[in-house]
Amino acid sequence: MYRARDRVENEGWLDDLDAAADALDLGAAARERATDLFLSTVPDGERSKPAALAASLYAGGLIAGDRRSQRVVAEAVGVSRLTIQGRWRPLLDEAGLDPPTW
């Protein structure tokens, strides 16, 4: 879980998350899940935040049933597909969620 202070400290990153979600045409449930995942697992280093944001969007879409491909999410955020591929499962683990087994 995250604190209200996390939301304030990462306001710019949340704006980026919303912009990418708009570009991906994600629904409200996927956006909420992505926001919760990002704020619950936000890394300390600024360089790691774009990867965490992209992985959060991808995983949020999976959880909400509003799935987008890793490639499309990567393009919307400006990271590589391999970044998402390597980050989304550990992100779910860190948030206390079980990744899908398919």
Side-chain angles (χ1 to χ4, degrees):
M1 198 64 196
Y2 59 91
R3 304 168 309 218
R5 180 171 145 197
D6 293 332
R7 184 176 283 278
V8 172
E9 290 175 354
N10 292 289
E11 187 175 350
W13 290 104
L14 293 177
D15 290 342
D16 292 346
L17 187 144
D18 285 336
D22 285 343
L24 295 166
D25 196 29
L26 286 177
R31 290 170 188 253
E32 287 177 33
R33 295 294 171 262
T35 299
D36 288 344
L37 285 170
F38 179 73
L39 290 174
S40 296
T41 61
V42 66
D44 291 331
E46 291 296 309
R47 289 187 58 178
S48 298
K49 289 183 181 179
L53 189 143
S56 297
L57 279 167
Y58 179 73
L62 288 177
I63 293 167
D66 198 0
R67 185 176 180 181
R68 301 293 185 274
S69 72
Q70 291 176 4
R71 181 187 56 79
V72 171
V73 174
E75 288 173 1
V77 177
V79 299
S80 75
R81 182 192 61 78
L82 293 174
T83 297
I84 295 173
Q85 182 179 348
R87 294 277 185 127
W88 73 272
R89 287 178 194 248
L91 181 127
L92 287 178
D93 286 338
E94 187 178 337
L97 301 170
D98 294 326
T101 56
W102 28 253

